[in-house]
Amino acid sequence: MGIEEFGGGQTHGADVLVVTTNDAPGFRVDQVIGEVFGLTVRSRHLGSQIGAGLKSMIGGELKGLTKTLVETRNQAMDRLVEQARARGANGVLMMRFDVTDAADVGTEVCAYGTAVVLARV
């Protein structure tokens, strides 16, 4: 697996700028729309759980689980951007991820932030 399978984030030139900072250099905030989030819940795959259990005995990275978590975070981020765009935003400030167990059957990943309308300065 190549490095591109273990990363995420936006592509260059995205129509909704998502940043983890309180502001975006080169932009001013013209309007705060409010909180937006993207949520997904993934169930655990029995095969990957067995593989992870075996791997944990000898040590090392659990690449299958890592790849699944990357895909899950990217899906949550895509949903965050969709919600921001639907509410008229072209930016999301202070984006964060929250990851929790979902009733012991899967993993819940939530991407959240503040939707804003940005203008170049």
Side-chain angles (χ1 to χ4, degrees):
M1 289 188 268
I3 190 68
E4 66 279 354
E5 295 180 272
F6 293 101
Q10 293 187 288
T11 58
H12 182 70
D15 65 325
V16 176
L17 178 65
V18 179
V19 297
T20 59
T21 55
N22 294 334
D23 54 18
F27 294 89
R28 73 171 182 272
V29 176
D30 280 350
Q31 178 185 359
V32 174
I33 294 172
E35 180 195 7
V36 288
F37 65 91
L39 181 67
T40 185
V41 178
R42 294 282 176 105
S43 65
R44 294 189 175 101
H45 182 271
L46 180 59
S48 67
Q49 289 298 100
I50 292 170
L54 293 172
K55 187 74 170 187
S56 68
M57 288 183 213
I58 58 171
E61 182 183 8
L62 306 173
K63 289 188 179 184
L65 292 177
T66 300
K67 186 175 176 185
T68 299
L69 185 55
V70 167
E71 291 168 353
T72 304
R73 286 173 63 128
N74 287 341
Q75 184 178 45
M77 179 104 162
D78 289 345
R79 290 179 177 174
L80 166 81
V81 169
E82 288 173 22
Q83 188 182 55
R85 188 182 296 120
R87 294 183 61 192
N90 66 350
V92 176
L93 302 178
M94 299 175 292
M95 192 283 294
R96 302 286 187 267
F97 285 107
D98 185 47
V99 180
T100 58
D101 282 334
D104 292 330
V105 295
T107 302
E108 171 191 321
V109 176
C110 181
Y112 63 95
T114 303
V116 296
V117 175
L118 296 171
R120 285 204 176 270
V121 291

